mmCIF file of all heavy atoms in Angstrom:
data_model
loop_
_atom_site.group_PDB
_atom_site.id
_atom_site.type_symbol
_atom_site.label_atom_id
_atom_site.label_comp_id
_atom_site.label_asym_id
_atom_site.label_seq_id
_atom_site.Cartn_x
_atom_site.Cartn_y
_atom_site.Cartn_z
ATOM 1 N N LEU C 175 71.543 24.384 -116.603
ATOM 2 C CA LEU C 175 70.754 23.849 -115.495
ATOM 3 C C LEU C 175 71.483 24.138 -114.190
ATOM 4 O O LEU C 175 72.704 24.002 -114.103
ATOM 5 C CB LEU C 175 70.579 22.333 -115.643
ATOM 6 C CG LEU C 175 69.742 21.845 -116.824
ATOM 7 C CD1 LEU C 175 69.677 20.317 -116.802
ATOM 8 C CD2 LEU C 175 68.341 22.440 -116.789
ATOM 9 N N LYS C 176 70.694 24.510 -113.173
ATOM 10 C CA LYS C 176 71.256 24.733 -111.844
ATOM 11 C C LYS C 176 70.286 24.205 -110.803
ATOM 12 O O LYS C 176 69.080 24.101 -111.055
ATOM 13 C CB LYS C 176 71.488 26.230 -111.589
ATOM 14 C CG LYS C 176 72.649 26.807 -112.343
ATOM 15 C CD LYS C 176 72.898 28.253 -111.942
ATOM 16 C CE LYS C 176 74.097 28.815 -112.708
ATOM 17 N NZ LYS C 176 74.233 30.258 -112.523
ATOM 18 N N ILE C 177 70.814 23.901 -109.613
ATOM 19 C CA ILE C 177 69.969 23.555 -108.473
ATOM 20 C C ILE C 177 70.096 24.697 -107.479
ATOM 21 O O ILE C 177 71.214 25.060 -107.083
ATOM 22 C CB ILE C 177 70.405 22.228 -107.838
ATOM 23 C CG1 ILE C 177 70.250 21.097 -108.861
ATOM 24 C CG2 ILE C 177 69.569 21.929 -106.592
ATOM 25 C CD1 ILE C 177 71.000 19.842 -108.495
ATOM 26 N N VAL C 178 68.971 25.273 -107.106
ATOM 27 C CA VAL C 178 68.985 26.397 -106.164
ATOM 28 C C VAL C 178 67.888 26.173 -105.126
ATOM 29 O O VAL C 178 66.929 25.435 -105.368
ATOM 30 C CB VAL C 178 68.738 27.759 -106.863
ATOM 31 C CG1 VAL C 178 69.824 28.060 -107.881
ATOM 32 C CG2 VAL C 178 67.365 27.805 -107.514
ATOM 33 N N SER C 179 68.058 26.801 -103.976
ATOM 34 C CA SER C 179 66.978 26.796 -102.987
ATOM 35 C C SER C 179 66.453 28.223 -102.844
ATOM 36 O O SER C 179 67.177 29.197 -103.093
ATOM 37 C CB SER C 179 67.480 26.274 -101.643
ATOM 38 O OG SER C 179 68.482 27.122 -101.128
ATOM 39 N N THR C 180 65.186 28.319 -102.460
ATOM 40 C CA THR C 180 64.598 29.622 -102.132
ATOM 41 C C THR C 180 63.937 29.489 -100.768
ATOM 42 O O THR C 180 63.370 28.437 -100.449
ATOM 43 C CB THR C 180 63.553 30.084 -103.171
ATOM 44 O OG1 THR C 180 62.491 29.125 -103.258
ATOM 45 C CG2 THR C 180 64.176 30.290 -104.531
ATOM 46 N N ALA C 181 64.036 30.546 -99.972
ATOM 47 C CA ALA C 181 63.481 30.508 -98.616
ATOM 48 C C ALA C 181 62.037 31.015 -98.611
ATOM 49 O O ALA C 181 61.660 31.858 -99.419
ATOM 50 C CB ALA C 181 64.330 31.371 -97.690
ATOM 51 N N ASN C 182 61.279 30.467 -97.681
ATOM 52 C CA ASN C 182 59.880 30.903 -97.463
ATOM 53 C C ASN C 182 59.088 30.858 -98.768
ATOM 54 O O ASN C 182 58.993 29.815 -99.377
ATOM 55 C CB ASN C 182 59.874 32.283 -96.802
ATOM 56 C CG ASN C 182 60.627 32.243 -95.480
ATOM 57 O OD1 ASN C 182 60.455 31.307 -94.703
ATOM 58 N ND2 ASN C 182 61.463 33.235 -95.241
ATOM 59 N N GLY C 183 58.558 32.013 -99.227
ATOM 60 C CA GLY C 183 57.757 32.007 -100.456
ATOM 61 C C GLY C 183 58.508 32.516 -101.664
ATOM 62 O O GLY C 183 57.909 32.776 -102.714
ATOM 63 N N ASP C 184 59.826 32.656 -101.525
ATOM 64 C CA ASP C 184 60.630 33.153 -102.650
ATOM 65 C C ASP C 184 60.507 32.184 -103.834
ATOM 66 O O ASP C 184 60.310 30.975 -103.651
ATOM 67 C CB ASP C 184 62.092 33.286 -102.209
ATOM 68 C CG ASP C 184 62.906 34.149 -103.163
ATOM 69 O OD1 ASP C 184 62.338 34.672 -104.143
ATOM 70 O OD2 ASP C 184 64.123 34.278 -102.926
ATOM 71 N N THR C 185 60.642 32.733 -105.022
ATOM 72 C CA THR C 185 60.304 31.973 -106.225
ATOM 73 C C THR C 185 61.286 32.303 -107.352
ATOM 74 O O THR C 185 61.830 33.420 -107.385
ATOM 75 C CB THR C 185 58.840 32.334 -106.620
ATOM 76 O OG1 THR C 185 58.382 31.488 -107.655
ATOM 77 C CG2 THR C 185 58.706 33.791 -107.043
ATOM 78 N N PRO C 186 61.583 31.363 -108.250
ATOM 79 C CA PRO C 186 62.591 31.612 -109.286
ATOM 80 C C PRO C 186 62.335 32.854 -110.130
ATOM 81 O O PRO C 186 63.283 33.494 -110.599
ATOM 82 C CB PRO C 186 62.520 30.341 -110.139
ATOM 83 C CG PRO C 186 62.068 29.284 -109.192
ATOM 84 C CD PRO C 186 61.095 29.967 -108.276
ATOM 85 N N ALA C 187 61.072 33.209 -110.327
ATOM 86 C CA ALA C 187 60.760 34.386 -111.151
ATOM 87 C C ALA C 187 61.383 35.658 -110.570
ATOM 88 O O ALA C 187 61.658 36.608 -111.310
ATOM 89 C CB ALA C 187 59.243 34.570 -111.262
ATOM 90 N N ALA C 188 61.631 35.668 -109.260
ATOM 91 C CA ALA C 188 62.227 36.850 -108.622
ATOM 92 C C ALA C 188 63.715 36.967 -108.944
ATOM 93 O O ALA C 188 64.332 37.985 -108.652
ATOM 94 C CB ALA C 188 62.036 36.773 -107.107
ATOM 95 N N HIS C 189 64.287 35.911 -109.536
ATOM 96 C CA HIS C 189 65.733 35.884 -109.779
ATOM 97 C C HIS C 189 66.064 35.656 -111.260
ATOM 98 O O HIS C 189 67.197 35.290 -111.590
ATOM 99 C CB HIS C 189 66.377 34.777 -108.926
ATOM 100 C CG HIS C 189 65.992 34.886 -107.472
ATOM 101 N ND1 HIS C 189 66.608 35.746 -106.600
ATOM 102 C CD2 HIS C 189 65.005 34.270 -106.772
ATOM 103 C CE1 HIS C 189 66.038 35.638 -105.401
ATOM 104 N NE2 HIS C 189 65.067 34.763 -105.477
ATOM 105 N N GLY C 190 65.064 35.790 -112.106
ATOM 106 C CA GLY C 190 65.297 35.607 -113.538
ATOM 107 C C GLY C 190 65.586 34.175 -113.918
ATOM 108 O O GLY C 190 66.210 33.914 -114.955
ATOM 109 N N LEU C 191 65.141 33.220 -113.091
ATOM 110 C CA LEU C 191 65.397 31.800 -113.360
ATOM 111 C C LEU C 191 64.113 31.118 -113.845
ATOM 112 O O LEU C 191 63.011 31.500 -113.444
ATOM 113 C CB LEU C 191 65.883 31.104 -112.081
ATOM 114 C CG LEU C 191 67.155 31.691 -111.461
ATOM 115 C CD1 LEU C 191 67.396 31.101 -110.073
ATOM 116 C CD2 LEU C 191 68.349 31.440 -112.373
ATOM 117 N N LYS C 192 64.283 30.088 -114.681
ATOM 118 C CA LYS C 192 63.119 29.361 -115.209
ATOM 119 C C LYS C 192 63.041 28.006 -114.512
ATOM 120 O O LYS C 192 63.930 27.165 -114.683
ATOM 121 C CB LYS C 192 63.267 29.125 -116.721
ATOM 122 C CG LYS C 192 63.584 30.380 -117.513
ATOM 123 C CD LYS C 192 62.417 31.332 -117.541
ATOM 124 C CE LYS C 192 62.685 32.503 -118.480
ATOM 125 N NZ LYS C 192 61.733 33.605 -118.278
ATOM 126 N N PRO C 193 61.984 27.754 -113.744
ATOM 127 C CA PRO C 193 61.906 26.493 -113.003
ATOM 128 C C PRO C 193 61.520 25.314 -113.898
ATOM 129 O O PRO C 193 60.671 25.440 -114.780
ATOM 130 C CB PRO C 193 60.803 26.762 -111.973
ATOM 131 C CG PRO C 193 59.955 27.814 -112.591
ATOM 132 C CD PRO C 193 60.865 28.647 -113.462
ATOM 133 N N LEU C 194 62.175 24.174 -113.659
ATOM 134 C CA LEU C 194 61.823 22.938 -114.373
ATOM 135 C C LEU C 194 61.191 21.925 -113.430
ATOM 136 O O LEU C 194 60.342 21.133 -113.826
ATOM 137 C CB LEU C 194 63.064 22.307 -115.013
ATOM 138 C CG LEU C 194 63.941 23.154 -115.929
ATOM 139 C CD1 LEU C 194 65.000 22.280 -116.592
ATOM 140 C CD2 LEU C 194 63.122 23.885 -116.973
ATOM 141 N N PHE C 195 61.629 21.937 -112.171
ATOM 142 C CA PHE C 195 61.180 20.928 -111.197
ATOM 143 C C PHE C 195 61.412 21.499 -109.805
ATOM 144 O O PHE C 195 62.320 22.328 -109.604
ATOM 145 C CB PHE C 195 61.986 19.633 -111.387
ATOM 146 C CG PHE C 195 61.725 18.600 -110.342
ATOM 147 C CD1 PHE C 195 60.538 17.873 -110.356
ATOM 148 C CD2 PHE C 195 62.643 18.364 -109.324
ATOM 149 C CE1 PHE C 195 60.280 16.940 -109.366
ATOM 150 C CE2 PHE C 195 62.394 17.421 -108.344
ATOM 151 C CZ PHE C 195 61.208 16.715 -108.365
ATOM 152 N N VAL C 196 60.606 21.052 -108.835
ATOM 153 C CA VAL C 196 60.776 21.571 -107.478
ATOM 154 C C VAL C 196 60.349 20.539 -106.440
ATOM 155 O O VAL C 196 59.502 19.681 -106.718
ATOM 156 C CB VAL C 196 59.947 22.866 -107.273
ATOM 157 C CG1 VAL C 196 58.449 22.595 -107.261
ATOM 158 C CG2 VAL C 196 60.361 23.597 -106.002
ATOM 159 N N VAL C 197 60.976 20.612 -105.275
ATOM 160 C CA VAL C 197 60.490 19.882 -104.101
ATOM 161 C C VAL C 197 60.215 20.912 -103.007
ATOM 162 O O VAL C 197 61.092 21.718 -102.666
ATOM 163 C CB VAL C 197 61.503 18.831 -103.604
ATOM 164 C CG1 VAL C 197 60.949 18.129 -102.349
ATOM 165 C CG2 VAL C 197 61.773 17.793 -104.692
ATOM 166 N N ASP C 198 59.001 20.885 -102.495
ATOM 167 C CA ASP C 198 58.597 21.723 -101.368
ATOM 168 C C ASP C 198 59.199 21.107 -100.113
ATOM 169 O O ASP C 198 58.909 19.950 -99.785
ATOM 170 C CB ASP C 198 57.056 21.720 -101.305
ATOM 171 C CG ASP C 198 56.487 22.599 -100.189
ATOM 172 O OD1 ASP C 198 57.246 22.995 -99.280
ATOM 173 O OD2 ASP C 198 55.271 22.867 -100.234
ATOM 174 N N VAL C 199 60.057 21.853 -99.418
ATOM 175 C CA VAL C 199 60.670 21.304 -98.202
ATOM 176 C C VAL C 199 60.191 22.041 -96.937
ATOM 177 O O VAL C 199 60.868 22.031 -95.917
ATOM 178 C CB VAL C 199 62.213 21.261 -98.284
ATOM 179 C CG1 VAL C 199 62.650 20.229 -99.315
ATOM 180 C CG2 VAL C 199 62.812 22.613 -98.615
ATOM 181 N N TRP C 200 59.033 22.684 -97.046
ATOM 182 C CA TRP C 200 58.382 23.148 -95.822
ATOM 183 C C TRP C 200 57.977 21.913 -95.002
ATOM 184 O O TRP C 200 57.623 20.879 -95.561
ATOM 185 C CB TRP C 200 57.115 23.944 -96.161
ATOM 186 C CG TRP C 200 57.331 25.361 -96.593
ATOM 187 C CD1 TRP C 200 58.022 25.787 -97.687
ATOM 188 C CD2 TRP C 200 56.839 26.527 -95.940
ATOM 189 N NE1 TRP C 200 57.995 27.162 -97.747
ATOM 190 C CE2 TRP C 200 57.265 27.637 -96.690
ATOM 191 C CE3 TRP C 200 56.066 26.741 -94.793
ATOM 192 C CZ2 TRP C 200 56.953 28.946 -96.329
ATOM 193 C CZ3 TRP C 200 55.749 28.042 -94.437
ATOM 194 C CH2 TRP C 200 56.192 29.129 -95.201
ATOM 195 N N GLU C 201 57.965 22.033 -93.684
ATOM 196 C CA GLU C 201 57.611 20.872 -92.852
ATOM 197 C C GLU C 201 56.215 20.340 -93.173
ATOM 198 O O GLU C 201 55.967 19.140 -93.083
ATOM 199 C CB GLU C 201 57.714 21.234 -91.364
ATOM 200 C CG GLU C 201 59.162 21.283 -90.885
ATOM 201 C CD GLU C 201 59.295 21.410 -89.385
ATOM 202 O OE1 GLU C 201 58.270 21.652 -88.711
ATOM 203 O OE2 GLU C 201 60.425 21.271 -88.892
ATOM 204 N N HIS C 202 55.295 21.224 -93.562
ATOM 205 C CA HIS C 202 53.924 20.739 -93.841
ATOM 206 C C HIS C 202 53.906 19.761 -95.026
ATOM 207 O O HIS C 202 52.934 19.051 -95.220
ATOM 208 C CB HIS C 202 52.945 21.903 -94.053
ATOM 209 C CG HIS C 202 53.196 22.758 -95.265
ATOM 210 N ND1 HIS C 202 53.166 24.140 -95.241
ATOM 211 C CD2 HIS C 202 53.473 22.437 -96.553
ATOM 212 C CE1 HIS C 202 53.401 24.616 -96.448
ATOM 213 N NE2 HIS C 202 53.596 23.602 -97.266
ATOM 214 N N ALA C 203 54.978 19.756 -95.828
ATOM 215 C CA ALA C 203 55.022 18.873 -96.997
ATOM 216 C C ALA C 203 55.369 17.433 -96.629
ATOM 217 O O ALA C 203 55.088 16.507 -97.396
ATOM 218 C CB ALA C 203 56.043 19.402 -98.013
#
Side-chain angles (χ1 to χ4, degrees):
L175 293 180
K176 287 185 179 170
I177 298 164
V178 298
S179 63
T180 59
N182 302 316
D184 196 2
T185 189
H189 308 279
L191 302 169
K192 308 291 187 194
L194 307 187
F195 173 75
V196 69
V197 178
D198 182 345
V199 291
W200 281 62
E201 284 190 350
H202 65 225

